[in-house]
Amino acid sequence: MKPRKITDWLESAPPGVLAAYAIVFSFAAYFTMFAFRKPFAAASYEGLSWFGGALGLKSALVIGQVAGYGFAKFLGVKFVSETRRRWRAPLLAALILAAEASLVVFALLPDPLKPAAMFLNGVPLGMVWGLVVWYLEGRRVSEILLAGVSCSFIVASGAVKDVGRAVLAGDAIPLMGLRLPNPLPVLDEFWMPAAVGGLFLAPFMIAVAMLDQLPEPSALDVAARSPREPMDVAMRLAFLRRFLPGMALLLLTYFFITAFRDFRDNYTVELYTQLGYRYEENKTIASQAELFVGLGVAAVLAMLFFVRNNRRGLTTVFAVIAAGVVLLGASTWLHAQGLISGFWWMTLIGLGSYLAYVPYGSVLFDRLMASTRMAGTAVFAIYVADSLGYVGTITMLLTKDLWAAESSQLEFLQAFAYGLSVAGAICLVLSAIYFRRTTHRPAQGESRGASST
């Protein structure tokens, strides 16, 4: 079946078939992207520091990648939100090839310069999410589609770390419950990330090629969710001026949510070790926890599909995010009291952080655009949030290594969970009240299906 024929078939296929197709290939594309982003976090780089200073080499690598990733979000505010349909797939392919090349450079450079290679790795990868979301937003089933692709990066984060640890140990490769033959020799901590990326290069290209066959949103989609089109400078400034107070509260909260999520994600291996889980007895513990988290988040987000009214849907999204930040503090307290194990604490704070984090990159701004009836793309607002969120990640990493060096990663994250749980809930309630007052109400006699469904 030729590419155009796949698109024609999908345009006439039942909605459920189109949704399933979109979920499978958007999930596959973003899952495989993580093989170029997170394998390095499977290594501890123990005993190594950056230029012999107080900052550990792993922290420097994380900061380098996050800085590149965050820089890409600033670039994406303009370039991704303006990207035309015909350039999405070629751009995705070019970005992933650049990311893999940077991992090879990472292996070759001397230790003090390796964070620079990780910066170069983060820049192309930071563009991928928005380009994938472009295919999914603005549809009547966007909540379900975005829930599927959001599940991908939660599950992938744990899965590729387990793959990375297996490559370091020379073990069979664990992937989604399977144990696949390992075609690689035993590699050191610096060549392992490029090797893992190489294993996933062809699957990524195939997934993107298939995703690119999705048809554009139909006329019914546009009527239900507002038109989605590239946003020029004037449109972007108009959006920010209109919603500045509510956006400021949202962005402040996201600053810390992203920092928390990334700290847990980048130091998963160290956290499990500090909780008493040794690799030899727990080779797939990271992917086991993330599978629970991913399924939980996907189920919650998918249920938003059944909230048909966009104003009520937006309020419900705020409630989900607030529930996520509250869960951080609640589960930390339960663990401190000895009521849950370390594994379930890691799982629950993962669930809470992703329930708070994922809607920003998917359904929150999609519902906001739909309920305000503004023309444009949710990708713009997503990239504004992400560009600031990764500044939060860097801030917390520097805070930990330079000003809280006496605390372990575990102690630091526990204190962080309590603070975010309280402050984040307050900001979210205030922001929800603001947006509730500014979103579109159907005029008398106006079709609810065209304005708030």
Side-chain angles (χ1 to χ4, degrees):
M1 189 178 288
K2 294 180 180 179
R4 182 63 220 177
K5 289 186 177 180
I6 294 176
T7 304
D8 293 340
W9 170 66
L10 288 171
E11 284 178 337
S12 59
V17 172
L18 187 146
Y21 181 97
I23 289 171
V24 167
F25 290 108
S26 62
F27 182 101
Y30 211 71
F31 183 100
T32 50
M33 184 281 282
F34 258 67
F36 304 87
R37 184 179 175 199
K38 286 298 182 181
F40 85 97
S44 296
Y45 309 100
E46 224 173 301
L48 300 175
S49 62
W50 192 43
F51 285 106
L55 189 65
L57 180 61
K58 181 163 184 177
S59 293
L61 298 177
V62 172
I63 290 170
Q65 188 189 59
V66 169
Y69 210 77
F71 179 64
K73 300 303 181 180
F74 284 103
L75 294 178
V77 168
K78 173 177 173 60
F79 294 109
V80 175
S81 65
E82 293 180 359
T83 300
R84 301 289 174 179
R85 170 64 188 260
R86 68 180 179 275
W87 294 111
R88 287 181 210 163
L91 183 54
L92 281 166
L95 292 172
I96 217 69
L97 288 172
E100 175 66 4
S102 71
L103 293 178
V104 175
V105 173
F106 167 76
L108 295 172
L109 286 177
D111 290 0
L113 297 180
K114 289 185 187 296
M118 295 310 297
F119 176 88
L120 296 176
N121 173 262
V123 172
L125 295 180
M127 304 272 192
V128 173
W129 175 254
L131 293 169
V132 172
V133 169
W134 253 114
Y135 288 103
L136 309 179
E137 70 163 308
R139 303 176 190 268
R140 287 166 293 167
V141 293
S142 283
E143 286 83 6
I144 294 175
L145 305 185
L146 293 169
V149 73
S150 297
C151 183
S152 72
F153 66 78
I154 301 170
V155 175
S157 182
V160 298
K161 290 190 191 78
D162 284 342
V163 172
R165 294 203 294 173
V167 169
L168 288 173
D171 292 338
I173 294 176
L175 188 65
M176 305 296 284
L178 303 174
R179 296 194 67 81
L180 305 176
N182 184 350
L184 302 169
V186 176
L187 297 170
D188 65 22
E189 294 177 315
F190 300 117
W191 276 107
M192 175 270 292
V196 173
L199 292 174
F200 286 85
L201 186 58
F204 176 84
M205 296 299 182
I206 293 169
V208 168
M210 299 303 290
L211 182 62
D212 197 50
Q213 308 315 313
L214 275 178
E216 291 292 282
S218 67
L220 289 175
D221 290 326
V222 171
R225 292 299 176 93
S226 78
R228 303 305 166 97
E229 58 191 54
M231 297 176 76
D232 58 22
V233 174
M235 293 172 71
R236 295 196 295 267
L237 290 176
F239 177 91
L240 291 176
R241 281 195 298 266
R242 180 173 176 184
F243 302 118
L244 185 58
M247 284 293 291
L249 288 166
L250 276 178
L251 295 177
L252 176 63
T253 310
Y254 191 63
F255 180 93
F256 292 104
I257 290 171
T258 304
F260 185 95
R261 196 262 338 198
D262 276 358
F263 193 92
R264 173 190 174 274
D265 192 40
N266 285 308
Y267 291 100
T268 293
V269 173
E270 289 82 357
L271 289 166
Y272 277 121
T273 299
Q274 291 166 26
L275 287 166
Y277 295 94
R278 297 175 65 247
Y279 170 70
E280 289 74 15
E281 291 84 34
N282 301 279
K283 293 185 177 181
T284 60
I285 192 170
S287 52
Q288 288 172 19
E290 302 309 82
L291 183 59
F292 285 122
V293 173
L295 292 175
V297 172
V300 171
L301 294 187
M303 286 190 289
L304 293 173
F305 168 74
F306 298 102
V307 185
R308 307 297 291 173
N309 179 281
N310 282 317
R311 294 184 77 242
R312 287 196 294 271
L314 183 61
T315 301
T316 305
V317 173
F318 272 103
V320 169
I321 299 172
V325 298
V326 169
L327 182 57
L328 301 179
S331 57
T332 301
W333 183 84
L334 290 172
H335 180 249
Q337 301 304 308
L339 298 175
I340 57 175
S341 68
F343 171 80
W344 283 110
W345 176 69
M346 283 287 286
T347 302
L348 288 175
I349 64 168
L351 178 62
S353 61
Y354 278 108
L355 281 175
Y357 175 84
V358 170
Y360 277 88
S362 52
V363 295
L364 173 61
F365 295 119
D366 188 67
R367 284 287 194 170
L368 178 60
M369 299 297 288
S371 59
T372 58
R373 308 302 298 168
M374 287 194 71
T377 170
V379 169
F380 163 67
I382 289 169
Y383 269 72
V384 170
D386 272 346
S387 62
L388 296 177
Y390 287 106
V391 174
T393 295
I394 295 172
T395 301
M396 290 303 108
L397 289 170
L398 291 173
T399 298
K400 168 63 186 73
D401 273 27
L402 300 182
W403 293 285
E406 70 284 354
S407 300
S408 67
Q409 285 98 351
L410 180 60
E411 292 166 339
F412 183 81
L413 195 64
Q414 289 168 333
F416 196 172
Y418 286 127
L420 178 55
S421 187
V422 175
I426 293 171
C427 287
L428 287 165
V429 169
L430 294 175
S431 184
I433 293 170
Y434 170 84
F435 280 110
R436 180 71 181 176
R437 292 176 176 175
T438 59
T439 49
H440 177 76
R441 292 177 182 272
Q444 186 174 3
E446 185 179 357
S447 169
R448 294 183 61 84
S451 65
S452 60
T453 300

